[in-house]
Amino acid sequence: MSEALNRREASFGGTWSLWRGRGREPTSSLFFAELEAKGLLVRRRYSPRFASQVTGYTVAPPDDRGSSGRPVWFGGGKLASDSI
């Protein structure tokens, strides 16, 4: 994993573990609300079969832009092993 990705993981990783540490499993709504409350941009990926079921997500720091000026997105699976 690159150094830049490690820094980004540290800035928005750990939310899921935080909820687990409270002795309960978070809902995806609470998880995404925590990420958004931290100021992150969040895109949810929905199941093609069950329209309301979230099957994945990507996050981007709002100030991290690529050469095109658009956000640089990172998939949840790349950020933490305990992600949903």
Side-chain angles (χ1 to χ4, degrees):
M1 188 179 298
S2 74
E3 184 178 326
L5 189 54
N6 280 332
R7 283 195 309 272
R8 290 184 182 108
E9 179 180 348
S11 71
F12 46 69
T15 301
W16 197 253
S17 296
L18 173 70
W19 281 97
R20 279 197 181 141
R22 294 179 185 165
R24 61 183 180 208
E25 287 294 317
T27 64
S28 60
S29 298
L30 289 173
F31 177 70
F32 294 126
E34 286 266 338
L35 293 175
E36 290 166 341
K38 290 181 178 186
L40 297 168
L41 305 174
V42 178
R43 286 193 310 203
R44 293 157 183 85
R45 183 178 67 242
Y46 291 91
S47 167
R49 190 167 180 194
F50 304 103
S52 64
Q53 182 181 20
V54 177
T55 58
Y57 66 98
T58 58
V59 295
D63 57 349
D64 191 4
R65 303 288 172 156
S67 60
S68 66
R70 297 186 345 211
V72 178
W73 296 93
F74 298 91
K78 297 283 186 189
L79 298 172
S81 61
D82 66 348
S83 58
I84 60 171

